[in-house]
């Protein structure tokens, strides 16, 4: 039985070498990423039994994704399809003052047709925690329905449900997102949301703690975690708010650090930790992730624990 | 005024390092390829003024394709679109006894919606030779119509039309191909066809020369070139058949060698050469292409001429 | 329950780029290899549920090995140790007339101290097939004992035992090997042995079939497979001998092709196939492996089946 | 008709990987650079029709340079020569406190023998703007004469002439430079000069604005742009001075940022912009260039405009 | 006759690409490093005649080390052995807040059995300076004896002896180190010690100058250099203390910067410089080293001198 | 005292990746090559004490060459100059039917001004064997004189002189070469000459043995070795002719195999071997060299001896 099961789209990420441009690219590094599988990978590397539910075309490229997840210790619960393509996204790193650039190519991926019947719903129902994000229902109208059904199914089965808003402007409008999410939120126990998304998508502004309290009041979440980029995060649980700043980082790759945060938070909660400890753990996991290439948090619980305890990585131990 | 104008789809080609598998790939070399742009590139490198007509999305990846063609000396006559994606294909080299593997990802490319009105038709009408292939009409029903219209427009404008059958099993059935091609052929002056495609798609078998004669009889081509893989090619023109074998090669990259053949043949014809000379030139261009990475014939006319004359490349000249 | 469980040492393989020498090397490609894990990987990629039993130091490099196996679909049943090192071997490709070169560095690896108590013996007893090789008992005197115990334990539990002689001159003398192997053979059901090892180590020469028959007579194996390098292999089972030649290959990496053979043979047998079919399957798996970098048979059952049926890989299917 | 035509020497740039030394180098990245072609490339990528006039040996390496410029959208107006070599320069990146290192190898390049008769002077006379730099006359006494003739020819034809002082200590002494430049300046409309070069070469010191006014007074330029490294730039035109600071950058490659500045300034002027807008545009182009590998400003007008408007690159838009 | 002779263990260093983890590594850069050979290399690149005494197995990997040192101008005085392995260490760069990670694999290296009889002791006796470090006696009890003998032999022969404490927690306890070092110190003329090692290993704390004075009082060193990481270093000689801060650096590779410091200090002393000059020279050598990949100070005396004089590297001189 | 001293020009070799063209190159591998230093390197790797006399500019690139030779065990006896450049050559591999391509860039290298006074002539006089080639006098008229003087000086000092004709069409005409060589030959003891050069340059044709005899008759050589490419070589010494064929090879890099042959022959002769043994040794060294990247014979005497004895490289010894 898996402790953490996630559901969502995972793609191949194609990245040019540092300082090179997509419009001139001669070589791509290949990574595998998707918010929900990233959370599963982060948790698995931190010691949680984790699985990921999705649909992929039965091609070498679909197998490439399953291979990546298996290696990281995540069980890929994949429904293989005869048609459709593997999604890709192109990530150009950038650097000040040039912004980063991501070109998504999500055309025709099989997850758009996912229903509770054609994915491993029974494994979701058997989990301790079920996690998905706002990207999933943004991909197709079928997925709005399916996401709702899976959250409800998890709820009914007594599984803790966790959800990261993860608003994607390229996929839907704030209004469309808000309306869909409002329907899903009653089935969600733990909500992760960027303060900006709370304001711009959900229409909830003000002080960070107020945002969290308003979210709990409006939707009845058990736990709300509001993330504020480099300014840290705030968790509200049982009426108590806890805040925490971030660690300074030498960032090698920023993608996936929000997912790393969620994985660290959830892993520590699954381990029975308090909210402040989970917040510290999530923050440290995100900081460590930023020093590693790729979207995945290839970070061990020993490293996270050392960072939480010492406030910095060890010297070279020799 | 361009001498040679081609029309068709061009994609990014993603290739793992030698001996690596798509299902385990960590790095891709990026090339640009498409039968019709390959022919334009080959001809341009041989000294012909060449242009390529197509539609691409206005993204960094669309610009990547235009950049590649400009560099090779081909004028990219691109209609830039706001939506759609750049096609990609994944090429795993293989090696005996493992076959090569190509995974096409042509979903949602803007050329599918090309009409004579939304591409640079006027440049086709002003060319000396217009070239396209059987891949183009296989991509959409709109493209069946558009290909027909462009061939007719070229014909009317007195442009020589050249067409490579290039049958792709993954795109359409032999029957569908045959029916569509039969409609296009009356507008075609110069036909390139693999002996296998003549037999399996067009239903014309027998001795190679017979195949060529039957094609001329059935469709009234001015010139027919039947290619036979490693066994060489036969050209039929004005009732006279000429045959030629291939050169032994140490193949680095086989993709695009058929296109290289067509580019060499057409370049030499545009230069006023006889059919036997054009056949020799095409054969040599194809052989040289196979020693070079990527789909494009990065081969100079000096090299082709030296090979035709000496039967082999020069010693290291030092 | 795993169908195939293997036991043995797995190392990091460090390989310079093609044409570069170990004595001047600036860069290594990193692969993971070991006869017994190679067999598990080959079988897993062919669809068999496979696991590998071993001991590794609890370092990043030990985890590197587990990661590789998980990715390939093999369950790593590892006892993690506080001391000892990860074995490495350095492989310089060579090329005619320069021979290949392998420098093993097996000092101080934890598997040397493996006992039935400190490895996952219960998983061996629950398998359908248990596989190990003559390398394992060659590593330490403790491993002579442990290998014997594990084979017996498997035998008692009704597990089919398979064993590849895999004689390594750098590890022990022919005499030492012969004496140890003779003690192990009574517990072995399926024996793989190179004809040269049969002659030079086991002292059994003559025609290939005679060698097989003598081995069955001497030790009572259920099945004997004698491999003859590029000349193919012969299997003897139930008194019937079957021979099969090899496929011509463009070899990218020869290491692990013997293991690929064993994995193909065993996978097909586990699938209920006849000895001739298993022989064909093993031969094809080995041929395909040679076209792929690394020791592991990253080869699918679809590819193997196509090769067995067609005698060659598919053309580029496009 | 090209809007911007430049004239000067372009070389292959050979750069070791980051942290590697020229004296130990095993691998070079190949770029193409030259102040005047850099300006043409920058302008072309910003949407200006641009061409570059020069002489190159008719070798693969000469073609390498033409290929690079074509790709970037610059028309290479090259006189191909039978003798001479392609210039090269070796760039070692360095890093604090180790300075950067450039080893030029400009021996025997054909541009040294350029005359108005053996280069594409007619294309210079047909341009909107003609641009060259102080590097060109520093290369040979013939080039002193030729540069003077081309500037005069442009002047006579009503072409705006632009000139970047670009003093190179390794090519000539301050005194020699000053004397030659003083002869050229009467034909120059728009002058770019580093404040340091103004002081050390032209002997004009004081406040930046005073330097600009003295240059206008002494030589009658229409526009003078004085650049001050990280402290920004000042433009004087029609008696009005405008200053502007630089953007903070994470510099990947500093070479060519002065050329990027000139290309941005000229592109915006050609587009009819005011001096302050051109200054902003040049500054932004230079800043963006520093984030990209190679001497060329592979930067789009959309990116420049976004930076000028927002003061920073966009967030990851997803 | 070599001016500087060093004695110690040298290993292959294997480093993943930046941002990659040892537990997922696919490629290693290969460097050669060891404190004592690093000091010899640094000095040789600064113009000192230098040699390195050690023992290596007679394999391609042993030759790899000798090749590296020869290239840098150090004479490898190697006793080649028939058994044993080449030591390796795995260096993962890290980055804030993830610490750097070094996994040493020193099992079974032949230097452990070094005696004055089986290494080039006569070359040590003929040197101007003999250098070794506290790593050497930490490797085996035989090496405690041998280090003592070699230091005494050098002393007797009138050779200046220099010693860097270089405490390695993974090799021995502070108590063991202190006891052994106390026995060696009477034979040492010049001591390098990190302030932290002085405190934690030798039990000498307080102000930096006090530490140096206590060390001179306790052990009679001619010169003591106490290094304080980013806070600089203090040298005590003839009763006079000199302090110096460090240079700001953009660190590419921190390993070997302490050795670079010692090499710069000793090179300048061998050249007859004063203690303050040697301190400046050592500091500059260490700073420059940090900008270069690998453990070796590939830095020239011209560069060091320029940094000492200008306080920074030269501008790009062009 | 060095046994073998060579004199000549050495350059940086820049090679694109396999299958890439110089006209499109993005990356170069850097090697160091020159006929005379290649021979020194080959001999050094075979155990001969070897040195190389030349002139180089005192730049990082000059040092790059010295570094390469030191690493291979050759003492670089370099006169460092303040001006001039390092020669480079560009090598594109090619492949059947495309020939290999070498673009030499020898402009302005300091060796052109070498005189017996400004190079290490005393080391030549102290050698056992002095070696140079016909490339050296082809570089400048000064070098015609210097080569003559050095050969005579060696002769007078009782040093064996060896000379490889190595005709380079790009450097001089057959007539010019013949006239100069005829003047040098009286000072030469051992001549290496390709059969084609003997015929086309020296005007000596006929059977191979006849060629050798005519050369001895005409010029009085002690030993003549006529090489015939893939057909082997013939040595004539003391009136006795010995022939030998070549080994089949999988060629990775053909450059430098003639130099490898000479180094093997001379190394074996210096070791006191007979002419037939030296011929075998030279042939084997050349064959092994072809399997290694770069111009240098990175081949050990153990490998050469094994090939001579077994006729092929060892199996993987494991």
């Amino acid at each position: 039985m898996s402790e953490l099961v996630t559901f969502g789209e995972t793609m191949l990420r194609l990245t040019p070498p540092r300082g090179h441009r997509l419009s001139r690219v001669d070589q791509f590094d290949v990574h595998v990423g998707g918010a929900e599988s990233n959370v599963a990978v982060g948790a698995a590397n931190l010691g949680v039994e984790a699985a990921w539910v999705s649909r992929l075309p039965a091609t070498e490229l679909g197998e490439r994704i399953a291979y990546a997840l298996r290696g990281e210790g995540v069980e890929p619960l994949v429904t293989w399809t005869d048609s459709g393509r593997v999604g890709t996204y192109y990530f150009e790193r950038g650097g000040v003052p040039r912004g980063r650039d991501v070109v998504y190519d999500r055309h025709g991926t099989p997850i758009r047709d996912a229903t509770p019947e054609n994915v491993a719903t029974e494994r979701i129902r058997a989990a301790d925690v079920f996690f998905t994000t706002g990207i999933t229902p943004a991909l197709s109208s079928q997925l709005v329905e399916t996401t709702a059904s899976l959250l409800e199914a998890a709820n009914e089965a007594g599984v803790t449900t966790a959800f990261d808003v993860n608003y994607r402007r390229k996929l839907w409008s704030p209004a469309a997102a808000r309306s869909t999410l409002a329907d899903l939120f009653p089935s969600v126990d733990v909500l992760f949301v960027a303060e900006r998304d709370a304001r711009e998508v959900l229409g909830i502004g003000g002080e960070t703690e107020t945002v969290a309290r308003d979210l709990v009041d409006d939707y009845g979440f058990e736990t709300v975690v509001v993330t504020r980029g480099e300014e840290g995060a705030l968790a509200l649980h049982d009426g108590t708010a806890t805040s925490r700043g971030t660690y300074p980082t030498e960032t090698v790759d920023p993608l996936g650090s929000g997912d790393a945060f969620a994985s660290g938070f959830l892993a520590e909660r699954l381990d029975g930790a308090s909210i402040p400890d989970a917040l510290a753990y999530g923050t440290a996991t995100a900081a460590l992730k930023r020093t590693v290439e790729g979207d995945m948090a290839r970070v061990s619980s020993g490293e996270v624990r050392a960072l939480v305890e010492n406030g910095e990585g060890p010297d070279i131990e020799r």
Side-chain angles (χ1 to χ4, degrees), chain A:
Chain A
M1 195 190 76
S2 302
E3 297 179 16
L4 172 68
V5 176
T6 73
F7 169 66
E9 179 172 63
T10 296
M11 297 177 280
L12 294 183
R13 172 181 126 184
L14 304 177
T15 304
R18 200 167 298 276
H20 289 241
R21 307 227 60 182
L22 282 175
S23 64
R24 303 292 184 259
V25 66
D26 282 318
Q27 198 169 65
F28 281 124
D29 283 332
V30 180
H31 291 277
V32 164
E36 297 84 1
S37 59
N38 292 349
V39 169
V41 164
N45 279 322
L46 295 170
V48 172
E49 203 169 325
W52 166 78
V53 172
S54 196
R55 284 161 57 88
L56 287 173
T59 63
E60 293 90 330
L61 300 170
E63 160 66 7
R64 175 65 181 83
I65 289 175
Y67 161 71
L69 297 183
R70 283 196 310 265
E72 302 296 331
V74 171
E75 187 181 1
L77 302 168
V78 176
T79 306
W80 298 99
T81 66
D82 286 340
S83 63
R85 56 185 289 280
V86 162
T88 52
Y89 63 109
Y90 300 87
F91 171 51
E92 186 183 295
R93 296 166 200 270
V96 176
R98 178 161 61 92
R100 292 182 194 103
D101 191 19
V102 180
V103 179
Y104 284 99
D105 183 359
R106 301 181 183 264
H107 288 69
T109 54
I111 196 176
R112 287 155 190 256
D113 305 321
T115 64
E117 289 70 39
N118 68 20
V119 298
T121 306
E122 74 290 359
R123 293 295 297 273
I124 292 170
R125 296 176 56 94
D128 288 323
V129 175
F130 171 55
F131 175 88
T132 189
T133 78
I135 298 170
T136 311
L139 295 175
S140 72
S141 54
Q142 172 64 60
L143 278 172
V144 172
E145 254 182 68
T146 304
T147 307
S149 301
L150 295 178
L151 284 168
E152 281 156 29
N155 247 352
E156 280 162 21
V159 178
T160 299
T161 55
F163 191 92
D164 190 340
V165 167
N166 247 338
Y167 176 66
R168 291 289 186 268
R169 187 178 312 271
K170 289 183 177 172
L171 293 178
W172 53 359
S173 68
R178 183 177 184 170
S179 144
T180 296
L181 295 176
D183 290 348
L184 300 175
F185 282 172
S187 309
V188 171
D189 298 320
V190 181
L191 185 81
F192 298 92
V193 61
E195 195 170 33
R196 196 174 84 170
D197 289 352
R199 191 175 55 245
E200 298 182 6
V201 180
L202 305 178
I204 299 182
E207 291 289 301
T208 312
E209 186 173 336
T210 310
V211 169
R213 293 199 182 277
D214 287 357
L215 285 164
V216 168
D217 290 350
D218 290 1
Y219 300 105
F221 302 114
E222 194 179 294
T223 312
V224 165
V225 184
V226 183
T227 57
R228 308 170 59 215
E230 302 198 355
E231 285 159 76
L234 175 147
L236 182 69
H237 179 82
D238 264 357
T240 306
T242 319
S243 277
R244 177 151 195 125
T246 57
Y247 295 92
T249 60
E250 291 173 3
T251 297
V252 163
D253 190 330
L255 295 195
S257 52
D259 306 327
F261 176 88
S263 71
F265 186 91
L266 293 173
E268 192 72 348
R269 287 293 282 164
L270 275 162
D271 204 35
S274 70
I275 292 286
D277 283 0
L279 200 57
Y281 210 74
T283 304
T285 306
L288 291 166
K289 198 268 107 186
R290 297 178 77 89
T291 67
V292 177
E293 284 282 347
D295 300 41
M296 293 172 174
R298 289 168 157 179
V299 165
S300 72
S301 65
E303 290 174 312
V304 173
R305 227 166 282 287
L307 178 54
V308 168
E309 281 161 23
N310 309 331
E312 61 176 25
D315 245 9
I316 300 182
E317 180 74 23
R318 358 193 241 186

